[in-house]
Amino acid sequence: MPTPIRTTATRKLRTLLAALLPLLAALLVAAPTAAARTDAADAVPTATLTEVTDFGTNPSNLRMYVYVPAGVTANPAVLVAVHWCTGSGPDMYNGTEYDTLADQYGFVVVYPSVTRSSKCFDVSSPQALRRDGGSDPVGIRSMVDWVTRTYDADTGRVFATGISSGAMMTNVLLGDYPDVFAAGAAFSGVPFGCFATTDGAEWNSACANGTVTHTPQQWGDLVRGAYPGYSGPRPRMQLWHGTEDDVLRHPNLGEMIKQWTNVPGVSQTPAATDTPQSGWTRTRYGGTGDRAPVEAISLQGVGHNLYGYGMAARVLAFFGLDSGGPAPQPQPGACKVTATTNAWNTGLTASVTITNTGTTAINGWRLGFTLPAGQSITSGWGATYAPAAGAVTGSSAPYNAVLAPGASVSIGYQADHTGNSAAPGAFTLGGTACASG
């Protein structure tokens, strides 16, 4: 369990401020920022951790705690902060600094809390690993919906972060609800589906020990199977792991990288590698900035309880919440891709048209997509394709590298198949999700 970072004196000061704020607010002539709420009758006291009951469908009897800053913005972002095994929502509140950052940037923090005896989140049952299947993810989704209704929250800026069991739940939430969560940050977790069991057990030793390995395609298929048919943008993921983790061992970091690069279809080759702090190795995939599709931080010589003061600020930078404004999430619109296939017994040709729907030229494009299971590219034109199967990146040729605003380029490939001859269902251009048409 992480050591709480907040001192007793700080807690007393916060309690005093929480008591004074309503009195100060009564003296103000201007209406408070929180007037943006759409259901003021349900609003909670500001600047203090408050439990909310009757928040919606809650099949596993979770408890909901919420922190609303006194300066909550209109249409605020929502951050779901998920605790570790044996912990609770109040423990997560006390042991992290997300509430003080909410004071600074005006977002709302939700702290789910487990009531089952283990105090671990369900990340293993078949119900938890599918959208609206039941168990903890459904209750957490209800908490998000409650905040959205009550504070008219920005549904495009909902995020999840967690530690240990909460990190595993962060992976599950992003898999079950890719249309709800824009990004996640997992501290000492495992891939979506890695902890799966069918006998009711909450613990999966093989996964915890880092011995469960899959191909990127297999990991990605587990995520896609949680919400079959979904073809919209996928959440971005930030991953933190210590090399000496003896609870959820370090190989799980590599497996999560495989999974969360495959899901949006970005390359598993880092676009950037650096050392933001001594002993840290940070790799970014599908982009080089603070908001790349996937960011992984490996902490040399650090064990399971790696979360420390200052890391939450890096989470907010990845989410785009450190500016108080909307993060530039990879949403459809900067590009448009159409794809069709012409198939025969065991082969197919695919025709792909890429259109730059943005306002600036693209110089040197990289098209990411995931081939359906059983397909393997044998040749192509208009781009260089690698690898041949799974999460593929098509890189521009010298003669078509510049794509002006409104311009299109046609490329294609030939592939073998074992029965599924469909075109890929989603594409990204430079890590940005493209509209289909």
Side-chain angles (χ1 to χ4, degrees), residues 96-437:
T96 59
E97 64 268 39
Y98 292 111
D99 59 320
T100 58
L101 291 167
D103 290 338
Q104 184 175 356
Y105 297 114
F107 57 87
V108 177
V109 191
V110 175
Y111 299 91
S113 195
V114 171
T115 58
R116 64 178 60 88
S117 59
S118 67
K119 299 298 179 68
C120 297
F121 285 91
D122 176 14
V123 296
S124 56
S125 75
Q127 292 77 21
L129 296 175
R130 67 174 185 270
R131 179 185 179 85
D132 297 334
S135 197
D136 297 346
V138 171
I140 295 173
R141 166 70 188 275
S142 295
M143 297 177 194
V144 171
D145 289 345
W146 182 92
V147 173
T148 299
R149 292 192 307 269
T150 306
Y151 294 92
D152 194 23
D154 185 347
T155 57
R157 293 194 297 148
V158 179
F159 305 92
T161 186
I163 299 170
S164 190
S165 179
M168 293 192 277
M169 177 51 69
T170 297
N171 279 264
V172 169
L173 290 172
L174 269 58
D176 285 355
Y177 296 106
D179 54 335
V180 174
F181 294 93
F187 291 83
S188 306
V190 303
F192 177 100
C194 185
F195 244 57
T197 60
T198 56
D199 59 0
E202 294 183 36
W203 189 257
N204 185 320
S205 294
C207 178
N209 290 332
T211 61
V212 175
T213 61
H214 292 308
T215 66
Q217 179 72 30
Q218 289 169 332
W219 280 126
D221 285 345
L222 286 175
V223 171
R224 287 181 285 270
Y227 186 5
Y230 177 74
S231 60
R234 290 287 178 172
R236 296 179 301 114
M237 178 63 94
Q238 183 185 63
L239 305 164
W240 299 73
H241 223 101
T243 61
E244 300 304 312
D245 192 328
D246 59 356
V247 178
L248 301 172
R249 295 190 181 274
H250 188 258
N252 281 300
L253 176 62
E255 299 304 301
M256 285 187 286
I257 292 171
K258 289 181 189 177
Q259 184 169 67
W260 292 108
T261 53
N262 179 267
V263 168
V266 301
S267 174
Q268 291 173 58
T269 301
T273 302
D274 65 357
T275 305
Q277 189 167 312
S278 177
W280 294 14
T281 300
R282 178 172 61 188
T283 48
R284 287 167 167 167
Y285 304 83
T288 59
D290 284 343
R291 305 177 203 177
V294 179
E295 179 177 276
I297 303 98
S298 178
L299 283 67
Q300 183 65 39
V302 176
H304 186 63
N305 295 333
L306 61 78
Y307 180 87
Y309 185 85
M311 291 180 177
R314 294 182 182 272
V315 170
L316 261 59
F318 180 75
F319 289 167
L321 291 180
D322 56 347
S323 64
Q329 302 298 328
Q331 299 294 331
C335 48
K336 178 181 176 182
V337 176
T338 59
T340 59
T341 58
N342 183 19
W344 59 93
N345 291 339
T346 59
L348 62 88
T349 57
S351 298
V352 180
T353 300
I354 309 165
T355 302
N356 178 5
T357 57
T359 58
T360 59
I362 299 171
N363 190 353
W365 47 264
R366 291 167 60 87
L367 184 71
F369 57 93
T370 299
L371 288 175
Q375 291 188 18
S376 179
I377 294 175
T378 56
S379 62
W381 54 93
T384 301
Y385 301 92
V392 177
T393 298
S395 301
S396 59
Y399 65 85
N400 63 10
V402 178
L403 197 56
S408 298
V409 60
S410 294
I411 62 174
Y413 56 84
Q414 183 168 316
D416 294 331
H417 70 84
T418 58
N420 185 349
S421 60
F427 295 86
T428 61
L429 198 64
T432 298
C434 297
S436 58

Side-chain angles (χ1 to χ4, degrees), residues 20 28 40 66 86 182 325 334 348 413 423 425:
L20 289 175
L28 295 176
V66 64
T86 75
L348 62 88
Y413 56 84

